[in-house]
Amino acid sequence: MKLYFTPGTCSLATHIVLRELNLPFELMRVRLGAEPIVAATRADYRQLNPNGYVPLLQLDDGQLLTEGAAILSYLADLVPAHGLLPAGTALERYEAQRWLVYISSELHKMFSPWLFHPEFGTQAAEVARGKIAKRLELIERQLQGRAFLLGDTFTVVDAYLFTIASWSKPCGLSLDSFPLLAAYLQRIGERNSVQSALRAEQGA
Ligand SMILES: N[C@@H](CCC(=O)N[C@@H](CS)C(=O)NCC(=O)O)C(=O)O
């Protein structure tokens, strides 16, 4: 498999999960922008993903999968024994999906313009800051009595939440009102998968 990624972005979540699962993969760095390119080949990245964004997973047979939440679910299902996503049709699975969608639509896409598009200006940043703080309240409540977002084991939801909530720092969003989340980020950040993913992305 190949993971098309850009350091400092949401593709880190997929990268962490590939490492959690010990799956063989190749990292393909993408230079984002108006004309995104694959760094190693300078090929037009939009040939692979017409939307020009990361992450993108390329399977060994060439098939392509985009959308972080879908990629995370796919990877977890490749190795069900790791328990990175509840299996079957139990409500827990849809609970996990609920959080993936929540992180994607209520946090990730609220942070994105703020972090990656300073041209949106300070007013947009202030609106985003208020909305994100509100959305984090639910996360803080969910973390009460739980080491991980879904309970006592690490899942793909944690890889995604860690990646997105870590953007609070570069955005200057204080987590003082969210002590459980702050401790959670510290804890997840110490995992081998996270440490090695961050090291690999810095060197890529
Ligand atoms: N809906 C996509 C959005 C992915 C996304 O926003 N990726 C950002 C990095 S965090 C990106 O590549 N932005 C560049 C762009 O939109 O041109 C997903 O959830 O995977």
Side-chain angles (χ1 to χ4, degrees):
M1 278 184 287
K2 287 180 180 164
L3 170 63
Y4 290 81
F5 83 104
T6 301
T9 73
C10 57
S11 52
L12 177 65
T14 304
H15 190 177
I16 291 170
V17 166
L18 283 163
R19 287 178 186 271
E20 286 280 341
L21 294 171
N22 284 319
L23 289 168
F25 67 95
E26 202 180 325
L27 278 177
M28 303 295 290
R29 184 174 179 153
V30 174
R31 295 201 192 284
L32 294 172
E35 295 184 359
I37 57 166
V38 179
T41 59
R42 309 198 66 77
D44 180 359
Y45 176 61
R46 284 165 305 187
Q47 297 293 322
L48 293 168
N49 182 356
N51 281 323
Y53 51 60
V54 293
L56 165 75
L57 190 71
Q58 186 165 36
L59 308 188
D60 292 341
D61 65 5
Q63 289 190 86
L64 301 171
L65 188 58
T66 60
E67 301 308 318
I71 297 173
L72 294 176
S73 302
Y74 171 77
L75 290 174
D77 286 348
L78 278 184
V79 196
H82 264 75
L84 290 195
L85 189 67
T89 55
L91 192 62
E92 288 78 27
R93 185 172 177 93
Y94 305 102
E95 188 62 19
Q97 295 294 347
R98 178 172 84 86
W99 283 111
L100 288 175
V101 173
Y102 186 80
I103 296 163
S104 172
S105 58
E106 303 298 330
L107 291 175
H108 181 178
K109 283 295 141 179
M110 202 63 80
F111 266 115
S112 289
W114 184 8
L115 197 57
F116 300 116
H117 296 278
E119 68 274 19
F120 278 30
T122 49
Q123 199 181 352
E126 277 319 303
V127 172
R129 187 191 300 273
K131 287 266 186 208
I132 291 167
K134 205 84 204 114
R135 300 299 183 248
L136 290 182
E137 285 172 13
L138 187 69
I139 303 271
E140 185 73 6
R141 275 206 299 279
Q142 175 71 7
L143 285 172
Q144 269 167 27
R146 292 184 180 87
F148 301 96
L149 204 71
L150 301 185
D152 53 15
T153 60
F154 180 89
T155 68
V156 294
V157 176
D158 298 301
Y160 198 12
L161 178 59
F162 169 80
T163 299
I164 302 302
S166 294
W167 293 349
S168 306
K169 202 169 177 187
C171 283
L173 179 78
S174 165
L175 292 184
D176 287 354
S177 310
F178 308 106
L180 297 178
L181 176 60
Y184 165 92
L185 292 180
Q186 174 75 28
R187 221 166 37 246
I188 304 284
E190 285 164 5
R191 292 178 78 83
N192 286 340
S193 60
V194 175
Q195 290 290 316
S196 55
L198 289 171
R199 266 197 309 275
E201 294 200 359
Q202 274 153 21

